[in-house]
Amino acid sequence: MRPTQFFCYITTNPTKTVLYVGATNNLPQRLIEHYLNRGLKSTFAGRYNCHYLLYFEVFKKASEALT
C-alpha cells in the first residue's frame, strides 16, 4: 500500500492572469475536476478557467500542504 501524499498546487488560466492555490490528496483527479469545471461561475477556478498546472509540492501531512 502506498503512503498517503498531500499536494499543494497552483493553477492558472490560459492568459496567465489569475492564480488559484489549492490542496488535495489526489492531484490528477483534482486537475481533471478543475478542467471539467471551466466556465462554471459557481467555482472560483471555473469562473476564471484556472486549470493549467503551474507548480506543486508533495507533503506527508495534510496540515503541511495547507500551510
Side-chain angles (χ1 to χ4, degrees), residues 26-27 40 47 51 53:
N26 189 339
L27 186 58
L40 275 180
R47 183 178 319 121
H51 55 88
L53 182 64

Side-chain angles (χ1 to χ4, degrees), residues 2-9 22-30 33 58-62 65:
R2 192 176 110 189
T4 303
Q5 296 178 319
F6 298 93
F7 303 87
C8 176
Y9 65 96
T24 184
N25 65 346
N26 189 339
L27 186 58
Q29 179 60 39
R30 191 65 181 121
E33 292 169 0
V58 182
F59 298 91
K60 291 181 180 178
K61 297 179 182 177

Side-chain angles (χ1 to χ4, degrees), residues 13-36:
N13 61 342
T15 57
K16 297 184 176 81
T17 57
V18 178
L19 296 176
Y20 176 90
V21 179
T24 184
N25 65 346
N26 189 339
L27 186 58
Q29 179 60 39
R30 191 65 181 121
L31 293 173
I32 290 168
E33 292 169 0
H34 283 306
Y35 180 78
L36 294 175

Side-chain angles (χ1 to χ4, degrees), residues 50-63:
C50 293
H51 55 88
Y52 292 101
L53 182 64
L54 288 178
Y55 179 81
F56 72 93
E57 285 188 37
V58 182
F59 298 91
K60 291 181 180 178
K61 297 179 182 177
S63 59

